[in-house]
Amino acid sequence: MVNYKHFYSLLFAAAATVSTSCVDDNYELADIDTTVGLNLNELTIPLNVESITLDKLLDIEDDSRIQKQVVNGKEIYAFKENNTFKSDNVKIPVLKVTPQYIAPIENTLDIQIPSSYANEASARSAKPVCVFPVKTDSETSFSESGDADPAIVSIKSLSVEGTASHDYEMHINVGDPKIKRYVSKVYFDNFKLLLPMGMKGKFTLDVNHTEKDVTDKYNPKTGVLDLSKETLGVTDFDMHIYADMDAIDFEDAGSEVTFKNGKFTYSGTVKVLSGEIAIYAEDINTGAGLQDIPKTLSYVCTPKIYGVNVTSFTGEVQYDLDNLKIDPVAINDLPDILSQDGTDIKLANPQVYLSINNPLNSQYGIWAQASLSLKATKNGVEGNGAWSDNINIDGARNVFCLAADTEKAADELLEEYADAEIVKFEGLGDILSGNGVPDKIYVDVLNPRLPVQEVENLALGQNLAPVEGSFMFFAPLALDETSKVIYSETLDGWFDETLEKLEIRKAAVSADITSEVPANITLTIKPINVKGEEISDVECEPVTIAASSEPQPIKISLKGKIRDLDGVIINATLSGNGEAMSPADNITMDNFKVTVSGEYIDEL
Amino acid sequence: MKKTKYILAALMLSATGAYAQYTNSGYFTEGYTYRHQLNPAFGNEKNYISIPAIGNMNMGIVGNMNLQDFIYNIDGKTTTFLHPDVSASEFMGNIEDENELNFDTRIQILSVGFKGFGGYNTIGVSMRGSLYGMMPKALFQFAKEGITNKTYDISDFGLHTNAYAELALGHSRQINDKLRVGANLKFLFGLANIDAEFNKAKLRLGKDHWDATVNAEIQASVKGLEYETETSDFSGKPYVNGMDVDGFGLNGFGMAVDLGAEYKLNDTWRFSAALLDFGFISWSNNMVATTNGDKNVTTDKYKFDFDENADPDFEDQIDNLGDELMSLYELDNEGDKGGRTKMLGATINLGAEYTLPAYDKLTFGLMNTTRFQGENTWTEFRLSANVAPVKFFSAGVNVAAGTYGAAFGWIMSIHPKGFSLFAAMDHTLGKVTKEFIPLTSKGTFNLGVNIPF
């Protein structure tokens, strides 16, 4: 039998002797510190990176004010804001012409008996038995006037609309009872009347309640109504002349019409230039004779003029268009890259497109004129402005492209405005310039007006079609070289259990970049810790990426101890070269490499 | 669970044998019961029978990967080599280009030795196992020196395990006054043999592009083993992601011979030579999982898009690259490719023993051992002093130098009548941790209790 007791005793003694004497107290696996440090030594990670277009990089949102626009077949980024505008209706009030009282001409006419009168009864062809010549030296004045709207600068002619049944009338009455007793009829022979000159319209002769158109007897240039050829035998001893005016011709009216300082005056002298009241033998009542005829005859000439409303005029007009306002352009909903403080955007080719309908032009040949002013504001503080003086709106449809650089604008006109007239718009390129992009651009239409110009038959008192149109602020995202877009973005929230254990000593991103983006981009990257503070003592050299078709090596380096990394602040500064940025602008990054040195320390 | 149980069993068995399957310290030690295992020409003076299972327990670990190279004391605290305060130069100075570790074990189930047939005869049944792992220096450079832009070649990364039962029949006899010869005929019953190796594994971290190449293969001869598979995210094909063993048992048969001779030149000099484990095992199956040649991944084919709306986007591509990198290690299940025959690792022992004329109880021996096992071939020279002052006690001390460095060994055998106890260490444990874990990878221990009669 084996003596196991001895065996195990020996085994134990041997093991104990050998083992205990060799225990190294420096090593205790039960309490081992499992801290592990894994190093990255200038490890370069090469990546094949897809080229990226600006479209993907900017990721413009649908509601952004900057959108893709097609210009000459090329898609570009542009700020585009549309507004419409409409003036109040053009309306020049009716010119109301108010008459003044006209004193009647009253005379006593003396009888003349022709020498050949032989007391014979004769027909009308015979000579009168007596006549009473009208006294032609008697006259009276007429006057009517009205204050015209200031829009009426001068008048050549007026169209009028009467306010009474007639506009002018002259009533000649010789109804002396003494003569009526012996005569049944008298004749108004050889009558020529001096009426107001320049009248145009219808002239009516009313005798014995019978009207006769005698328009052709009136000479507007002289004002003479020649009735001498008329046989005017009247039984009621009255003669009425009526004028129903359509217009007053200022040239014909001569000095009788004045329009000065907005006051219209129509004045002059009216009288009977010639004429006689003739009595023929046949008209002497039975039983009476020449001897019974009174030797004098009462004669009353009563001119009357009534107020008229001028409904249109030919002459010169000048009119201020009212309420021609364009809503401010709100510069909001811009991409983050353009909306930060410090950004100073100077656009290479901003344009303002104005499309204006001027219905007055087609109807009256009227042209309008206005100046346009833009004023940028940011938080209520006025910034830069732009202006364009005296834009002539001389067609029925007027399309303008207002641009700071007219040559450039001509090359880059939007297709739908291909026929636009290019007008210099001073200062437009700097409209967005300043410390930060403005939040509004106020558009002022300055002095919109119909300049002094001749018109024909311009209606008064009517609502004429307004001037209206559309306004579009179109600014291709084309920065000039003095622009400075400052963009800062904080990417954070990275810190986690992994980054807590990572210490980066050096990091670099390098690439050969070919950029079609028409901008010089200067980048700096600063690491931040969990408190959001920049990690101190970390060197970061800025790099510049220029627009270039040739690959340009760039390297962004961070040197210094980076711990508790929570993210980075990317600061980018952009300036342009005048070309518009396009969604298709490509950035190619060849030889893209990330190089890292650092240590990852963790507990296993 | 069944899978785990059997694999663990195989590995534990493996972790009990080639280096420590023999105790070289006992080669010249009179009274060491199992000298015949070192050279079948050696015969014992007495018959013996082993105590079952504890007649001869060999176990050991040998290699050039020392625990003390991987743990450090920093400010009074035990740390791993990956601790940031452990300098890379200090650590890498302790790492060889090829780093190997052998776990070996041999448990004698039963052994009997007896005189007869004109010589000395032995019958032994033992379980033998070995586990050999190798790791290239580049692997540790990757982990410790810091990842940088260079090529990491981890091709010499592999694991081999072998476990079998052995029935050995030995006989030695004196040919003449000077020459004694012996032989063991071994019948081998295979349990498990697994070879897993990266034939090629290179990670080229260039500054312009990265690429990786892997060529790996697992050959497993284990009864009832099946590979488990799942579908690759990358290729959509099934790949091996585990193994299952159902019906673990004998899976091969082989034979081997040990041949030995001892020549006594004179009273002071003896020379001996032995060839051990010259044989083979024919395994019944060969479950193969392989990359089927080189698998390559290059970063050039991946283009990364910073556009978050891209398909694939940046993160997708990182995932895709990760999936393909992972696919490098996805092995195709080739199934059972049929049986395979593997040679055992043969060992040659050469010895020269000098007996001190003035005191013939004291001898000095010089032994060379060379084990031939492919890339795990090693050799050592061992110089020993052995003493047997009395009949029931013998001991020896020795120093060795070889592939795995220097070693100090000893043996002590107490073998009074009716009882034999020996203990030996070819590689004496140096310092150990407080938990008695050897700080070096050189430690073998041989202990046995037998009954001589």
Side-chain angles (χ1 to χ4, degrees):
Chain A
M1 286 294 295
V2 177
N3 189 338
Y4 283 99
K5 185 177 177 183
H6 290 158
F7 168 69
Y8 287 121
S9 298
L10 279 169
L11 182 62
F12 176 77
T17 302
V18 170
S19 301
T20 55
S21 62
C22 297
V23 169
D24 189 333
D25 291 334
N26 287 321
Y27 300 103
E28 184 175 3
L29 297 180
D31 189 25
I32 193 167
D33 178 356
T34 57
T35 302
V36 168
L38 298 175
N39 285 292
L40 299 175
N41 295 335
E42 298 270 346
L43 178 65
T44 296
I45 305 167
L47 296 174
N48 286 330
V49 174
E50 292 276 8
S51 59
I52 188 164
T53 59
L54 206 55
D55 185 23
K56 296 174 180 174
L57 205 58
L58 288 184
D59 192 18
I60 300 290
E61 295 179 6
D62 292 342
D63 59 354
S64 173
R65 292 304 173 107
I66 288 189
Q67 292 294 339
K68 300 167 194 171
Q69 309 290 342
V70 175
V71 177
N72 295 333
K74 181 184 179 186
E75 196 172 44
I76 63 170
Y77 284 114
F79 182 93
K80 186 177 178 183
E81 175 71 2
N82 286 303
N83 274 321
T84 57
F85 56 87
K86 184 177 183 180
S87 74
D88 287 347
N89 287 327
V90 175
K91 183 176 183 181
I92 302 172
V94 167
L95 169 57
K96 294 186 177 179
V97 181
T98 307
Q100 291 184 351
Y101 171 72
I102 305 174
I105 302 169
E106 295 179 347
N107 288 126
T108 300
L109 307 181
D110 297 322
I111 192 168
Q112 289 182 3
I113 298 173
S115 57
S116 58
Y117 176 70
N119 194 22
E120 55 187 286
S122 65
R124 173 69 181 93
S125 59
K127 289 183 180 179
V129 294
C130 64
V131 296
F132 294 88
V134 175
K135 293 181 178 178
T136 58
D137 54 348
S138 295
E139 61 185 25
T140 188
S141 298
F142 73 92
S143 178
E144 61 181 350
S145 62
D147 292 321
D149 186 89
I152 301 174
V153 176
S154 67
I155 300 173
K156 285 184 178 177
S157 65
L158 297 173
S159 295
V160 297
E161 189 177 77
T163 59
S165 31
H166 304 289
D167 301 322
Y168 181 86
E169 66 179 58
M170 183 176 273
H171 176 211
I172 300 173
N173 178 270
V174 291
D176 189 328
K178 289 185 291 185
I179 199 167
K180 283 184 175 179
R181 190 181 309 158
Y182 303 105
V183 177
S184 60
K185 181 192 289 183
V186 296
Y187 285 86
F188 288 74
D189 286 345
N190 301 314
F191 259 78
K192 290 184 180 176
L193 308 176
L194 179 61
L195 304 182
M197 294 188 290
M199 288 191 292
K200 291 189 174 177
K202 181 181 179 185
F203 291 82
T204 304
L205 173 64
D206 181 359
V207 290
N208 299 327
H209 303 292
T210 300
E211 293 185 348
K212 181 181 181 183
D213 187 343
V214 291
T215 303
D216 59 341
K217 307 298 181 184
Y218 175 73
N219 183 346
K221 295 182 184 302
T222 59
V224 175
L225 179 67
D226 186 355
L227 301 176
S228 59
K229 298 289 193 291
E230 299 292 324
T231 299
L232 303 175
V234 296
T235 56
D236 57 359
F237 304 90
D238 278 335
M239 179 173 71
H240 295 271
I241 307 296
Y242 303 113
D244 298 309
M245 285 192 290
D246 295 328
I248 299 173
D249 188 311
F250 276 44
E251 189 177 344
D252 290 349
S255 61
E256 288 189 345
V257 172
T258 61
F259 185 74
K260 191 177 286 181
N261 298 326
K263 188 174 184 67
F264 167 79
T265 305
Y266 192 16
S267 64
T269 302
V270 292
K271 64 178 181 178
V272 177
L273 291 173
S274 66
E276 54 196 18
I277 309 299
I279 298 172
Y280 289 83
E282 62 192 20
D283 299 324
I284 297 172
N285 293 336
T286 305
L290 178 61
Q291 67 282 357
D292 296 319
I293 305 292
K295 301 298 186 257
T296 60
L297 182 65
S298 294
Y299 163 86
V300 180
C301 174
T302 307
K304 286 184 181 176
I305 192 164
Y306 297 94
V308 293
N309 291 332
V310 178
T311 56
S312 68
F313 81 101
T314 297
E316 288 178 312
V317 70
Q318 172 181 301
Y319 188 84
D320 292 332
L321 297 168
D322 291 331
N323 242 349
L324 195 56
K325 293 178 181 175
I326 301 174
D327 289 338
V329 177
I331 315 286
N332 49 19
D333 296 325
L334 290 177
D336 290 345
I337 196 169
L338 294 176
S339 56
Q340 298 188 0
D341 284 345
T343 290
D344 185 358
I345 294 178
K346 294 180 180 177
L347 299 171
N349 186 27
Q351 298 154 20
V352 170
Y353 287 96
L354 282 175
S355 181
I356 306 173
N357 292 325
N358 177 12
L360 295 175
N361 184 272
S362 55
Q363 190 174 355
Y364 295 107
I366 290 178
W367 61 283
Q369 193 175 61
S371 298
L372 194 67
S373 167
L374 304 185
K375 279 182 188 168
T377 64
K378 183 175 178 65
N379 299 324
V381 178
E382 192 170 305
N384 287 343
W387 62 95
S388 182
D389 289 334
N390 299 334
I391 303 166
N392 291 333
I393 307 160
D394 52 7
R397 178 178 178 272
N398 305 269
V399 182
F400 301 98
C401 171
L402 312 180
D405 185 338
T406 53
E407 290 185 10
K408 197 170 182 60
D411 293 337
E412 298 178 2
L413 275 181
L414 292 178
E415 289 174 359
E416 61 266 39
Y417 293 97
D419 59 344
E421 178 186 347
I422 298 171
V423 178
K424 181 80 173 174
F425 202 3
E426 294 287 351
L428 189 59
D430 293 337
I431 191 68
L432 299 182
S433 179
N435 183 12
V437 177
D439 48 31
K440 268 183 187 170
I441 297 176
Y442 286 93
V443 184
D444 291 326
V445 180
L446 302 175
N447 198 19
R449 64 198 180 282
L450 310 178
V452 176
Q453 59 191 290
E454 292 192 351
V455 291
E456 287 188 8
N457 299 320
L458 179 64
L460 302 180
Q462 294 181 15
N463 285 328
L464 303 179
V467 173
E468 60 183 323
S470 62
F471 166 93
M472 183 173 75
F473 180 68
F474 182 78
L477 193 54
L479 308 176
D480 75 6
E481 59 274 8
T482 61
S483 288
K484 186 171 68 173
V485 173
I486 293 178
Y487 175 66
S488 180
E489 181 164 3
T490 300
L491 306 175
D492 57 7
W494 299 356
F495 187 76
D496 59 10
E497 288 183 357
T498 301
L499 281 178
E500 184 181 12
K501 296 160 186 168
L502 179 66
E503 177 181 296
I504 297 172
R505 294 187 296 271
K506 195 159 54 172
V509 176
S510 63
D512 294 335
I513 292 188
T514 306
S515 173
E516 294 175 355
V517 177
N520 294 324
I521 306 166
T522 300
L523 285 174
T524 56
I525 294 178
K526 295 178 179 174
I528 56 174
N529 59 24
V530 286
K531 297 177 183 173
E533 301 165 340
E534 287 183 16
I535 298 174
S536 58
D537 300 326
V538 176
E539 297 176 27
C540 177
E541 293 290 328
V543 295
T544 298
I545 303 167
S548 169
S549 59
E550 295 295 323
Q552 49 190 316
I554 64 105
K555 186 173 185 179
I556 302 172
S557 300
L558 295 174
K559 291 180 185 172
K561 187 182 288 187
I562 300 173
R563 293 221 59 163
D564 298 333
L565 180 67
D566 189 49
V568 292
I569 298 175
I570 301 171
N571 292 315
T573 305
L574 283 78
S575 62
N577 63 3
E579 297 296 321
M581 294 184 188
S582 166
D585 287 342
N586 215 28
I587 300 174
T588 304
M589 292 171 278
D590 295 324
N591 295 321
F592 191 94
K593 295 173 183 175
V594 179
T595 302
V596 183
S597 290
E599 187 173 27
Y600 179 81
I601 298 175
D602 197 4
E603 295 279 337
L604 290 177
Chain B
M1 288 303 295
K2 191 162 46 178
K3 168 188 70 180
T4 308
K5 181 176 70 178
Y6 283 119
I7 294 299
L8 282 175
L11 291 176
M12 287 177 67
L13 187 62
S14 301
T16 52
Y19 210 99
Q21 291 177 357
Y22 297 99
T23 302
N24 287 349
S25 293
Y27 193 84
F28 299 110
T29 305
E30 290 296 331
Y32 173 51
T33 308
Y34 290 94
R35 286 185 74 207
H36 60 83
Q37 289 184 346
L38 296 167
N39 188 331
F42 294 158
N44 292 355
E45 287 184 1
K46 296 179 181 176
N47 300 333
Y48 77 93
I49 183 169
S50 68
I51 301 294
I54 59 171
N56 183 17
M57 294 185 297
N58 275 285
M59 61 190 72
I61 175 173
V62 175
N64 56 11
M65 296 172 65
N66 303 308
L67 179 59
Q68 65 187 9
D69 296 333
F70 293 88
I71 59 174
Y72 290 80
N73 185 293
I74 302 294
D75 298 331
K77 189 95 173 171
T78 303
T79 70
T80 71
F81 71 100
L82 291 172
H83 193 281
D85 291 339
V86 176
S87 77
S89 59
E90 181 184 4
F91 170 69
M92 293 309 300
N94 296 324
I95 300 299
E96 305 291 337
D97 288 342
E98 293 180 357
N99 299 276
E100 300 170 330
L101 208 55
N102 292 276
F103 294 93
D104 293 295
T105 186
R106 175 174 186 160
I107 296 175
Q108 197 72 45
I109 305 298
L110 185 65
S111 182
V112 175
F114 59 95
K115 294 175 182 173
F117 309 113
Y120 193 79
N121 308 288
T122 57
I123 301 172
V125 177
S126 58
M127 299 293 289
R128 299 177 65 172
S130 64
L131 178 68
Y132 167 69
M134 54 189 172
M135 283 183 273
K137 187 175 187 176
L139 200 62
F140 300 105
Q141 288 176 318
F142 191 83
K144 184 59 186 175
E145 287 184 338
I147 307 170
T148 192
N149 295 101
K150 61 186 284 188
T151 296
Y152 294 94
D153 187 348
I154 53 174
S155 298
D156 295 328
F157 191 14
L159 187 71
H160 304 273
T161 185
N162 193 32
Y164 59 92
E166 175 187 282
L167 169 62
L169 305 175
H171 177 77
S172 64
R173 65 171 54 233
Q174 200 71 35
I175 302 300
N176 55 40
D177 290 345
K178 293 183 180 297
L179 180 62
R180 183 178 177 87
V181 298
N184 286 322
L185 178 60
K186 298 177 173 178
F187 299 95
L188 309 176
F189 305 93
L191 294 173
N193 183 280
I194 299 174
D195 297 309
E197 190 163 7
F198 284 106
N199 300 317
K200 191 186 292 183
K202 281 188 178 178
L203 181 60
R204 286 175 285 268
L205 303 182
K207 289 193 173 180
D208 294 323
H209 73 275
W210 290 3
D211 62 71
T213 303
V214 169
N215 184 329
E217 186 174 66
I218 298 174
Q219 296 187 67
S221 298
V222 179
K223 185 179 181 183
L225 182 143
E226 292 288 345
Y227 291 117
E228 294 176 335
T229 61
E230 71 175 29
T231 302
S232 167
D233 290 337
F234 176 72
S235 66
K237 297 178 180 175
Y239 71 94
V240 173
N241 74 328
M243 53 178 68
D244 187 21
V245 178
D246 186 10
F248 184 74
L250 294 177
N251 192 44
F253 177 77
M255 294 182 69
V257 294
D258 298 342
L259 301 173
E262 183 185 31
Y263 183 76
K264 181 179 179 183
L265 183 63
N266 51 39
D267 289 341
T268 56
W269 285 99
R270 290 172 185 257
F271 298 94
S272 59
L275 171 64
L276 308 178
D277 296 327
F278 183 71
F280 67 93
I281 297 177
S282 180
W283 299 92
S284 300
N285 66 353
N286 182 19
M287 304 301 292
V288 175
T290 176
T291 57
N292 277 317
D294 290 355
K295 278 192 171 183
N296 295 294
V297 172
T298 177
T299 56
D300 281 350
K301 67 183 273 192
Y302 287 93
K303 285 204 131 188
F304 294 88
D305 200 325
F306 289 116
D307 178 13
E308 60 185 17
N309 297 318
D311 184 22
D313 66 12
F314 197 96
E315 289 185 7
D316 292 338
Q317 281 296 63
I318 290 287
D319 291 343
N320 292 338
L321 176 58
D323 287 344
E324 187 170 5
L325 284 172
M326 292 305 293
S327 77
L328 284 173
Y329 304 97
E330 292 174 355
L331 306 180
D332 300 333
N333 181 8
E334 296 294 308
D336 188 358
K337 303 295 281 187
R340 61 172 176 153
T341 298
K342 288 194 70 179
M343 292 295 290
L344 298 180
T347 302
I348 291 178
N349 287 332
L350 300 173
E353 184 180 16
Y354 175 73
T355 303
L356 195 65
Y359 181 58
D360 63 1
K361 309 294 185 189
L362 177 63
T363 67
F364 297 95
L366 178 64
M367 177 188 185
N368 170 253
T369 301
T370 301
R371 182 173 177 84
F372 300 93
Q373 194 163 28
E375 55 198 359
N376 191 24
T377 295
W378 54 265
T379 187
E380 73 162 25
F381 290 89
R382 187 174 293 271
L383 182 62
S384 62
N386 307 281
V387 64
V390 292
K391 276 194 171 181
F392 62 90
F393 177 77
S394 59
V397 294
N398 54 78
V399 293
T403 302
Y404 296 123
F408 169 73
W410 58 269
I411 186 169
M412 179 183 68
S413 175
I414 302 169
H415 40 86
K417 188 175 181 180
F419 174 74
S420 169
L421 168 68
F422 63 84
M425 298 179 80
D426 277 352
H427 293 265
T428 305
L429 286 175
K431 292 183 177 179
V432 296
T433 68
K434 287 182 177 178
E435 295 78 18
F436 302 110
I437 307 296
L439 287 170
T440 68
S441 62
K442 301 175 187 66
T444 62
F445 191 65
N446 185 201
L447 179 71
V449 181
N450 295 274
I451 300 172
F453 57 91

